[in-house]
Structure formats: structure tokens, C-alpha cells
Amino acid sequence: MLLEFSQYLENYLWPNYSPEVSSKPYLMSICCMVNEKFRENVPAWETFKKKPQHFPYFFKSIMEASVQGQTESDYALHELTVLLLFLDHCFNSLEVDLIRGQIQQLISLPMWTSLQPSRLEQELKKTQKLKKFWNLIKKADEKMDIKAQKQAIQERTFLCHLIQKFLSVLRSIPATGPASMDRVHYCERFIEFIIDLEALLPTRRWFNTVLDDSHLVVHCYLSCLYHREQEGHLFSQLLDMLKFYAGFEINDQTGNALTENEMTTIHYDRITSLQRAAFAHFPELHNFALSNVAAVDTRESLVKLFGPLNPDTLHQVASYLCLLPALNEGQKTEYEKEFLLELLVSRHERRISQIQQLNQMPLYPTEKIVWDENIVPTEYYSGEGCLALPKLNLQFLTLHDYLLRNFNLFRLESTYEIRQDIEDVVCRMKPWQSEYGGLVFGGWARMAQPIVAFSVVEVAKPNIGENWPTRVRADVTINLNIQNQIKDEWEALRKHDVCFLITLRPSMPYGTKIDRRQSIIDQTGLMYVRGCEIQGMLDEKGRVIEEGPEPKPKLKGESRTFRVFLDPNQYQQDMTNTIQNGAEDVYETFNLIMRRKPKENNFKAVLETIRKLMNTDCVVPDWLHDIILGYGDPGSAHYTKMPNQIPTLDFNDTFLSLEHLKSCFPEHQVKVTVDEPSFHKAPFRITFPVLGGKGKKRKEGSEEEPAQDVMSTLIVEPHVIPNRGPYPYNQPKRNTIQFTATQTEAIRAGMQPGLTMVVGPPGTGKTDVAVQIISNLYHNFPEQRTLIVTHSNQALNQLFEKIMALDIDERHLLRLGHGEEELETEKDFSRYGRVNYVLARRLELLREVGRLQESLGVPGDVSYTCETAGHFFLYQIMSRWEAYLSKVKSKSSNTPDVSDISKHFPFHCYFSNAPQPIFKRQTYEEDMELAEGCFRHIKKIFTQLEEFRAFELLRSGLDRSKYLLVKEAKIIAMTCTHAALKRHDLVELGFKYDNILMEEAAQILEIETFIPLLLQNPEDGFSRLKRWIMIGDHHQLPPVIKNMAFQKYSNMEQSLFTRFVRLGVPTVDLDAQGRARASLCNLYNWRYKSLGNLPHVQLLPEFQTANAGLLYDFQLINVEDFNGVGESEPNPYFYQNLAEAEYAVALFMYMRLLGYPANRISILTTYNGQKHLIRDIINQRCGKTPLIGQPSKVTTVDRFQGQQNDYIILSLVRTKAVGHLRDVRRLVVAMSRARLGLYIFARVSLFQNCFELTPAFSQLTARPLRLHILPEEFFPTQRRNGEMPPYPAQVIKNMPEMAAYVYNMYMHMIRSSQLQYQYRQGLLPPPTATRQTNDFSMQDEDMEVDAEAVQYGSEKAEQGNPAKETRVLTTENKAILLETKAKETGKDEQTQIETHSLSCEVHRSEAGHTGVKPAEPGPMEAQESETALKDSEKQTQSRKEGTDITDGEQEEEMNVGEGEGASKGLENEQEDKEHPKMPQHPGRDSDSEYSEDEGTED
């Protein structure tokens, strides 16, 4: 890893490689470096692309080394394993042209030369074209010279030789005794390699036949390694995966998925061909030959029929089927009978279909899966070994394969989280063995309760054709003798909530401590885990309490019984095991029930959704199908290649003026249909030349110049939006953003049919583009419906708030899910909120109808219902309007009088409350348009009432909300999680939509991106989906995957958006940012194609002005060890750095003292451990100081993605290794959060040497590495950015100096101001360097019950909202701060005594207030500072318990404001007492459990 980090490959190995210097050490070094790059998840092939000429020779050398015979001792087995892993990486990198060129020669049709002749003939007969191609290959071979022929044979037989090499290693592993782990690892890696070849269509197409001909799977199943329980465990799991893919339901040549009927036909053909051979040549098999297929196609019957035959006869049967070469006359077979029998049986036995297997699979994990390290690895997965996990790469075999891999990975990722929860809960419960051998719990947990009674109450009969019950229900009784708050949580368990039933049989005596570093299962005696789904709580009569609007009945006592659904598949498997094998009945043993947080507990619903998708015909639009699987032309779904392009589009208010329009199409000529310049006003309709489509291919060199002019001309037609009425609110809302040319191209692409992918770097207006696309689709295609999907509620709410500012009728907006509560508006866009809006709007409109009736003097009550209003419109309004038109419309003979329009207008009385006069009486056309506008206003009232008429007929809120969703709403928004959870309900309702827009697409899991495509039933076998717009940024952080193995090994963090980019799907790259200063943008714009700045970044005053009190707008500040300690790791992966944390807080305090608003400063870090440390230091040093207060947010970089602030203080934490910041995507997010100022604290010597980070750190290190401050300058300053001040900057050498400076600055301000008594207790002394080493030892693992009560009895109190900020920096205060500078160098003795006495008093007060032990009195200020630091660390210890694999895990965010008032004192005191003290599971993010959650799921 150290060599790879120091660019050994880029700087030495590959630049100096040539055939002359190629040797075994050289080859091994390169392969090791490439493998390490893949393990670290950094780009591996860039170096080879720069110097590709020697790669073919290098690759051939690897091939030769890989297939060396057993006698050659050049390469040891562990070295061959390295080469094998390198080859696997090559075969999985087919998108790289350099690699693909070498791989294609190994996996093309000529590789069939390694088939036995009879099998080759049989395969060529199946397809006539193949025979033709084969003859062409043979002719080409005849023309080759001997050297080329030799090379061709080597390439074609390479994989076959590699298989033979593997089989020789496999046979060398004995059945018993010690087994060489090098051989085992080689075999495991080889099976992984073969699985990867089989799981990609380009590699599988011809290789699958070669694999079948080698009978590799049969050899492996009969091998000694497969039957070794310990060493062969992973091998056997990998082999099951290989068997699955070898028999996958796909036509290898065409790539088409095979239906169940086609698979049955193939099975019957195999059996009947075997029966024909038996009938013709083997009299002893006549019984078999004459039996029906169903009677002889099971494993038992085949073994019974073929078992008595001798090996030679079995060989002859196999040779008739072209499975083995034929025996000569009198020749004996060299194969063992066991192999021959298994070959025939495994080939002809009936297989259960993949969909049947899936339907029989339990959805809940059991103890066998939860703690199997090969399937669900721990968080400490290093990437060294292989695992029995599916991989998400670029391509998939079929939609079924695509869904199945995602299903399995989603299930296992959920299992990993469930395991963490179970282990945490079981440790908290402290199960011990009592004196009498029973179970006693020494602790308690908020999320678990001991089971008092458990009984299965119903096992329903199976459906026809199934062997598992339709449902299994049980009753679970628990005793809720706990705090009311927690009791309420248990009683609030709702229908469909998932719980887990656990059996514990501990062997440890009472009082034994549980060591979380050792196996939890062994220590706690954990035997069984089964999932269940809540149906409801039972009332006193034993009936399920139904959910509804009425209040739940109050139950007496503490005992509560829940009715739960058990998994029918799991129940059937358990009962079968109990009956057939005499195993224990699991369902009589449960003694603990565990619940989970609702937001983390939706895995079962998502898995059911995926399983239902696999059981239905997934109808993906034809234009998307191949792209989703990763095949064909990646640009085939781009609008320029779609056959149904729309030539003329109304861009509505996209363009602000004609000049704006012209600037957005610089490569086109603009031809306006109207010559009069005064009419050249927005909105515009644009007619585009229709491009390409799916026409014939143009021959090379054909003339296309004459067509260029026609293709580059845009016909622009300005048009006027018809008058909507005389009231001010009738005027349409207009867009005010001046879109750039690339933004306009994104909007145009989004309006056209097809797939549109928009890459939006930070600050480039992704949301504005999305909103404009939605608005334009709404106006261009009013009959179509658009679905908006985002990753988070926050992004959805941002979109909605901008949509509401455009010209979209709010009755057509609907927001599904639970995030609408966060919308910063009084309007409710949820389903029931919209129903209420419609009902209120109906009454409002009916009142308008009543007023209209009254103004016309029509008798009766026409405004009673929508129906009566409709009759009124038809018979009263329309008749008056038609009569009016007949009077004022121009006759052919004479021109009408302008005054007639006003004189005959029938609705003057109704519009009397509109701005007067209604008619201007200047021109006939103008007044006529005003009159028609008034009528449009009236007509719209009745149109809406007609739409609302259904709400009079539908009486229940549920029916009304369904109608709204299916019929009324035109723009429907939801998160991807909500779509996955509710797909079944939406399809059942008949939900329909035409367009999908996805925001944050690069942050959404692959499967959660795919599911929203299928939220509707197909129409006549076709999907009605017309457009799919994805907006995201694959250069920022991917979806959060908690388990490193799934993230890295299975590539589960790859979003569909990222995969499409890798495949080469065309994208629109937004290229102008308006968020940050140009200098800050330079820190990350190198990652994008051509990211520039919008003009306002240079022009607006806030960007032109310097950052007050700081010499630079961004700076990297080097932080050395403090008291000999740099980074520390109190728990695995829970990284902290006290020096950086103190420095970051000191800078924040300094900025606040200069007058920066607290809400404009955020502190970010790359690890959760550091986040907690910074929060604790802030609480200690600033929390009770209104003058300083709290920053806007203290959180991790990962959690801050998608957000921004003016000033960012960033701590990079690590001092020993770069860690996960090496992922350039995380660096981009970190560098792009600040608008005006970025200040980074890090160990410069570590980060500047990291190759991947060089473009950013070369700019950062160009500036001084010590903090340069200007204490004489206050916020806001008049100094321009980049301008040097008239006085020298003060250079801060290290953290203690900065902390002391800020402390003295604060003390001078307080002591010399009127605020002395109010604030004198507000600040702890600064940290001082001492010889003391920081003790980051783990807290005692013995979790006392009352400590848990503190943790769970009351959640961490939410930080107080800031008091409204007051500016405390008066002229007098500024003078005081200037005085600080003067006195800094030499304080007189009196000042030192004053400072000492004041700081002692402050510290004593602080210690007494927070319950921290006060410092011993001493004569030196250093003594105080040291004690204060210890106190700070004491409180901080409570946070040093969790771990931090990646900072992107589920975690709470600190959302606090500018300061806290003194009135919060008692509340803060309570908070301090309730500071969390429970140790978390090692390796566990301390935020991911039982803390406030900001998860984005619905």
C-alpha cells in the first residue's frame, strides 16, 4: 500500500517497462500495484493509457505466466493468485479500450477450437450462421504465417489451459489432513474469476460452451476441497454461484432471456435425446428409454437407473451425447464412475426455476446468514480475500439477473445493519446464566424486551401449487414495566413494522462482562434469529386494535400482546427440519423481541417490491432496455437518435429576451418569424431542424456540407400568452434566471423524448434546470403527468419550493411521503393536504359562482354543487357570452366600434372588484383581448369545478386522495425510498405517468433508481414512459453503503447514473458555477470537463470583498502534533485529532469576535470521531458564551453534500495515512461547500504527497502553511479580495498560540467593556502544551443500568435555537481589540495577575456549572489551561465510543444557530448531565443508533 501511495506504478514501474527489461519481479510488481489500486478503489488504468505501446507484450507475458505447468517452479501459487486477480480486473474493465483490445482475442468464437470435435460439430449445427463464420475463420487461419498461427492458438486455448491448471491444483488438495491455504485461495480466486466471466454477456457468449465442455462444475463438486467443512466453506458457496450462472436462463448467442417454457423445452430435449440414445444402443436402459420424462428426471430416479451401469457403459452414453470423446474398440475409460454418473445426472436432472427459488426464499435473515463472514463480512473487510457475493459491474445478462443481483445485495446490506442492531441490543441486555441454569437479564435496552409468552396461533393452508402456508400468525406477550416514553414507543408499533425474535442461551455466570471484541454469539449463547411483521396490538378481548383516526383504547396493566406475521417460507423450512431431522422447534424457544427504528426498517417492503417485479413482466421502454443492461449503442436513447423527436417546442419563460435566446444557441442562425422588433419578446416557440433519428448509416466521406445551413437554422416565433383575467393574481409568474447555453441544451433535451443525463457540478444550477424542464413539460404537454424522484426529502422540498414560484397551478402539485412537513410554506402538498385544498377551493369557487349569479340577477341556488354550477355555466353564462360576441365581433361590411365592447359586456357587475377601468377604449383588438381574458377567468372557475365534481361523489378521504393521485395531479413528487416502498399500492391504483425527472441521481442506489421506472402497469405490453431525465454529479459522493465489502467488493455504491456515464451515455455537462469565488472554484474545477464561472461571481460585492481579519480567502494550515499526539483512534475507525479540533474552534471563535455571523460559518470534518470532538469542544468553549455562540452546523463532509455556507472550516484529521479522503469524490465535496472562505487544517506533509489529491493540494500549498490573520480588520471590511492590507499580517505558528490569542482577545474585550459581569463566566482558558499525553482509552465496557437510563431515558436534547444575533462590536470594542494586539507581545505583571484571577474564576464557575471537577488552585496560568483542557477532554470522552468506517453513515447533524441565551442555563445543565455514555459496538458509527436521525427515507 505504501508503494502504491507513493506512485511506484506511475513514476517508476510502467514508464520504464519494455520487453527488454520484463522479468518475473517486474511483472509481479506491476500486477500487485494494479490489484492494490482496485482494492483502494482508485483509477488503475490511466498510467497504461499514457504509454500503451508495451501493454500487449505485458499482457501476453501475464497470460504465459498464468498457465505455467505444475513442474515449473518460477511462480509460486500465491504469485499465480496475484496474476489471476489481475486478469479478473482486466476482464471486468471492458469499457477501457486498451484492455478490451487484448481481452476480445481470448473470448471470441475462435476459442471453440478447444472443444472436442463432436461437441464443436453439434454446436455449429444449432445455428447456420456459426457454420459460415467458422469456415471463414479456418480460411483466415490458413493464410497466417507460423508465428501468427502459434500466437492465435495460444490466445484461443488460454482459458482452456487455465481451467486445466486450476483442476490440477484442485486435485492436489487432500480430503483430510493439513491443506495448503495458498492452494485454497488460488481455487477460490479462480472460481470468482469464472463467475465474473459467466456473468457478463460479452465474455460469456462463447466461453460458456467451453466451460460446459470442460465439466469444471462437476469436477469441483466431486473435489476434496468442496467436502472439507472449514477450508471449503467459501469455495462451496462460490461454486453454488458458478452453477447458478452456468445454467442461467439466457440464450448465450442472442443474449435474449429464456422464458420458463423455453427452459422446460430445453430440459425435455436433453432427456429425450438421452432416452433415444439409451433405446438405440443400451438394452439395459430400455426401462428408462420408455418412461415418461416426469418419472425419470429427478436426481433419485436417474441415480437409481444409471448407478448399476459400469464406467465404460457410462462413458459410452456420455460420448453419444457429445459430452466426452468416444472410446475406441476395447478401450477402457480413464474417468472414475463417480464422475461419469454425476456428469449424466447433473446434466439431466430437473431444476427448480430461478423465480421459484426466489419465491421460496425467506426475506428475513436468520442466524446462519447474519453471522456468515463470507456472505456478510464485518466492517473490517480489508479487500484481501474474495467473497461469495454478487457484483454490480457495467453489464448484466438480463433484467432478471439485474434485479436478482440487486435483490441479494440489498438483502445482505440490510442484514449487516440488522446484525449490528442485534449485537448492540443483546450486549445491553446482558444475558447471564442464573444459578439454576436458566436465563436472567442483567441490563436493559430501549429497543428490546424479554418475551413473557409466545405462541403460534394460525398456520393457513398453502395456495394451490405451493408447499408453504399462505400466512403464519403468532402472539408475542411482553411486560412493559418501563418509562412511559419508551412504553409509548412500544405501544406505537404499527402494522407492517418489522421486529426480530431472538433465542438466547447464555453459559456465562451472573455478572460476567461482555467483551464486544470477541464473538457475541459465543458469549451470549445466541441460538436463533427470526423476523416477524407486526399486525397490531391486541385489546383486552384478544382482538387486533385497528389503526384509524379514533384514539386507541387505553389498556390496563403492563402486559401487552402483539399479533405478528411470521415468514411462511421460513416457517415451512423450520418445520420440515424439525420433522425430518428431529431438530428443535425454533418457535418454542424465543425469549427476546427486538424492534428497530422505523426509518432504518423498510428493507422487507423494498425486497418484496423487487421480488414482485421479478414475478411480473418487467416492461421497460424499448428505447431503454439495452442501455439499462449495458449493451448496444449507449447514445441510442439520446433525443437526437429518437424517431419521435418534436420539431417545435414552446420554451415558455425560459428566455428573458431574444438576445438571451441567441446567446443560448451560438452555433445556430436564428430566424424570427415576425419582423417588427417590438414583438421580439418572450415567450418564444422554437422550431428545430430534426436531427438524425434512426436512419441509414452514412457512408464515409459522403458530402454533408450543403445540409449544414439548413440544420443550423432555428425558426423562432414570439407569441403572446392569452389574457387570463383582470385581477393581478391572473398574471403568470415568470422565470427570472438567465440560463446559460449548456443549461438551455439540458432544458431542450429534457423536453424531447428519450434519456437525458445532466451532469451538474457544484453551484451550476441543477435545481433551476430541473424546475424549468418540469414547467416547460407542464405547459407543452398539459395532458402528460411528470413524476419527480429525489434521494432526500431536503432536495425534494427545494425543488417544490422553486416549482411553486413558477407558473404552475398548485392544484396539479402533489407530494407523497413524509417530507412535506419540512416544506417552508404554509401550504400542505401531501395527499390529504391537497384534498383539503381542493375542498376549500371548491367552496371558494362556488362562492364566486354565487356572486356571478347575483351579479346577473339569475334566480335560484346555482352555487349549491359543482353539478348545478355546470348547468348554470351552460345555460346562463355561455348564452350571454355568445350573444355578446355576436354584437361585438366584426362584420365583413363595417368595422365595430371600440365602445361597443364595454357597452355590451355582460359581466361588468361581477368584475366590479377588479382594478378599474377594465377596458382601455384605445384599440378594438386590445379591448377584445381584455374581454376574452375576463371570460377565460370565468370559464376557468367552471373548468375547475367540473374537475372537482368527483370530490362531491367520493365521500371518504381515502377515495378522494386516490382520485387526486390518479386523475387530478400532473406533477407528483416522492423520494426513491417511498417509490420502492409503495410500488405495489401505486400500481394497484392504476397510477400513470409519462415523464420521470430524478434529482441527485448519482446518490441513489442502482435498484432505487430503477424501481421508479416501473410504478405503472404497461399498456398493451408497452410502457407509456416517454422521457427520463437524470440530474446528478458522479464526481461527488455516491450512495451510502455501510458495509465496506458490499461497497468495494460488490461495487454496490455505484449508482445507475455513474454506470451510464461509464458506459458512454451522452451527458450535458453544466459548465458555469455561481456559488463560490473563482479562486475557490479552482480547487475543484479540474475534476470537470470545462467548469467556469458565471459573471456575477466576479461582479457582486460579496465576491469582490475580502474576508475580514483573514489575509487569504482560502488557506491550508499545517497542524503538528499537540503534546506528542496527532490522530488518535480510541475505537477502530473512530478517528480524532485534538490539535485540529482546538485549532478549528479557535478560528471560529476568532471570526465571531470580529463580527462574522455564526449562521454563515460551518465546521466540517471527514470523520465522525472528529465531529463529536469538535462539538464537545464547542460546547465547552463557546456553548454558554452568547458573544460567540454555536456555528451553523458541525458535521461531516458526507452529510453536508448538497448544502453550502459562506465560510467553511475543515479538519482533515489524519496524520498517519490519507484514509478515505483519497476518494477524489470526497475531496470535491469538501472543497466545494464554501462560497467565500475555506480554511483547512491538516498534516500537510501527508496530504500533499497523495497523487490523487495533487491538483487541489498544489494550489493549497502555494500559499503559506501558517494562518495569516489581520486582527485590526472587522467584519464587514472594505478591503477588496486579493488586495494586501496597509499593515503586515500576524502569522500564527501553531494551535496553542491561536487558542491563547483568541482567549486573550475575548478577555480584553469583556474586561474593558460594559458587558464584563454578564459574560465573565463564558469562556474556558485555552489549551496549553504540556508533557501530558492524551488518554484516549476506551471507556469501561461494563454498561451500568442507570447509565443506560441516561442514554435512553431522554434523547440528547436538541440544541437551542439561537437568540437573535446582536452586534456587540461597538467602536469601543474595536478599540479594545486593537489594544489586544499591542499588549500581546509584553503584558505587565498586573495584567497577568488580572488574567489569571479572572480565568480561575471563569473556570471554577464553568466546572461547577457542568459538573466537571474544578481545577486545583495554582499560581501559573499554564496550570489553569492544562486543567481546562482536561475538563474539555473529560466531557469529550463520552463521544469517544463509536466508530467511523465512513463518515457518510447514518448520523445526526448538529443544527444549531448563532448563540444561546443565558435563559437556557438550566436546560443546558440538564443536557450536560444527559450526555451519552453508552459504549457503541466497535466499528459502529456512534450516530447510527438511538440518536436523533436525519435519514432521508420516507
Side-chain angles (χ1 to χ4, degrees), residues 1394-1441:
E1394 274 182 32
T1395 306
H1396 165 64
S1397 70
L1398 182 57
S1399 60
C1400 273
E1401 185 175 347
V1402 168
H1403 179 60
R1404 280 196 297 275
S1405 167
E1406 183 77 3
H1409 187 56
T1410 59
V1412 179
K1413 183 182 176 183
E1416 292 294 326
M1420 295 174 63
E1421 190 171 320
Q1423 173 69 32
E1424 298 169 15
S1425 303
E1426 179 183 341
T1427 314
L1429 181 60
K1430 285 179 181 176
D1431 290 339
S1432 174
E1433 287 172 5
K1434 279 183 185 179
Q1435 186 167 351
T1436 303
Q1437 274 296 345
S1438 61
R1439 279 297 191 186
K1440 297 173 182 171
E1441 296 160 352

Side-chain angles (χ1 to χ4, degrees), residues 125 200 346 454 469 546 650-651 768 878 961 981 1000 1043 1123 1148 1196 1218-1219 1227 1273 1431 1470:
K125 276 181 187 174
L200 285 174
S346 63
F454 180 90
E546 296 294 337
D650 183 355
F651 275 80
D768 294 322
M878 282 306 295
S961 71
L981 294 176
E1000 301 182 314
N1043 188 296
N1123 291 339
F1148 164 70
T1196 54
V1218 172
L1227 178 79
E1273 189 174 67
D1431 290 339
Q1470 186 66 18

Side-chain angles (χ1 to χ4, degrees), residues 1141-1184:
E1142 289 279 7
Y1143 213 153
V1145 173
L1147 178 58
F1148 164 70
M1149 294 165 69
Y1150 169 74
M1151 293 173 74
R1152 288 289 292 127
L1153 291 173
L1154 291 184
Y1156 283 86
N1159 64 346
R1160 294 177 66 182
I1161 306 170
S1162 292
I1163 303 180
L1164 304 183
T1165 177
T1166 45
Y1167 287 90
N1168 277 323
Q1170 185 76 343
K1171 174 194 73 177
H1172 292 310
L1173 183 59
I1174 291 171
R1175 286 183 181 178
D1176 287 332
I1177 291 172
I1178 282 177
N1179 287 335
Q1180 285 282 75
R1181 301 202 178 284
C1182 323
K1184 300 170 183 65

